[in-house]
Amino acid sequence: MGRIVATIDIENISESGKAIKLDALVDTGASYITLPFAWKERFGKFSSEETVELQTATQTIIEGLVCGPVKIKIEGFRPIYNEIMFIEMEPDNGEYEPLLGYIALEQCGAAVDIIGHRLLPVKYMDVK
């Protein structure tokens, strides 16, 4: 499978003006939008923070910090309100690789086109 990268605007709705724009790797194996702890201070203080345990692809158990609420705008899709997660990440050649997980993709109505290596809008949201 090829790499799909999406541009995302994330804003802490608890602190005006605390927002960033970033490119994230679409990862349908990840649940949350996942960012490096090193970026957390850019968002200021969140109204909600909760430590959770996570299992990585290598089956290692690590801790993450789920924070929110935030406004999320994935380029080409409607804005949504949800949470983001911070984990310890090692930069690759000085760059972090944020992840765009399935919760935000489903919430904003985005489907993964693995042949075209892009995100497409779903025709209908599920209600069943």
Side-chain angles (χ1 to χ4, degrees):
M1 183 167 128
R3 293 173 54 87
I4 301 171
V5 175
T7 301
I8 309 172
D9 290 297
I10 304 171
E11 178 183 357
N12 181 353
I13 60 175
S14 299
E15 274 203 42
S16 180
K18 296 292 185 175
I20 63 172
K21 184 175 196 156
L22 57 99
D23 290 329
L25 178 67
V26 174
D27 184 352
T28 58
S31 50
Y32 285 90
I33 293 175
T34 306
L35 307 176
F37 262 119
W39 292 1
K40 185 176 178 295
E41 65 189 41
R42 298 180 189 185
F43 289 96
K45 185 166 174 56
F46 291 98
S47 63
S48 175
E49 295 186 5
E50 183 177 347
T51 301
V52 295
E53 286 189 333
L54 312 161
Q55 186 174 32
T56 68
T58 61
Q59 299 181 355
T60 304
I61 304 299
I62 64 170
E63 283 192 349
L65 186 64
V66 176
C67 300
V70 294
K71 179 180 180 182
I72 301 163
K73 177 73 171 95
I74 300 169
E75 189 173 30
F77 297 89
R78 69 181 186 84
I80 58 174
Y81 296 85
N82 209 313
E83 301 168 313
I84 55 177
M85 183 166 48
F86 295 96
I87 64 170
E88 289 295 339
M89 287 184 183
E90 291 295 323
D92 185 20
N93 292 323
E95 297 286 324
Y96 290 105
E97 188 165 60
L99 303 176
L100 172 53
Y102 65 80
I103 293 172
L105 292 171
E106 288 181 0
Q107 192 177 9
C108 76
V112 178
D113 174 5
I114 59 173
I115 295 173
H117 303 287
R118 61 191 173 156
L119 296 177
L120 296 173
V122 295
K123 187 171 183 179
Y124 303 108
M125 300 297 279
D126 291 335
V127 74
K128 44 187 175 233

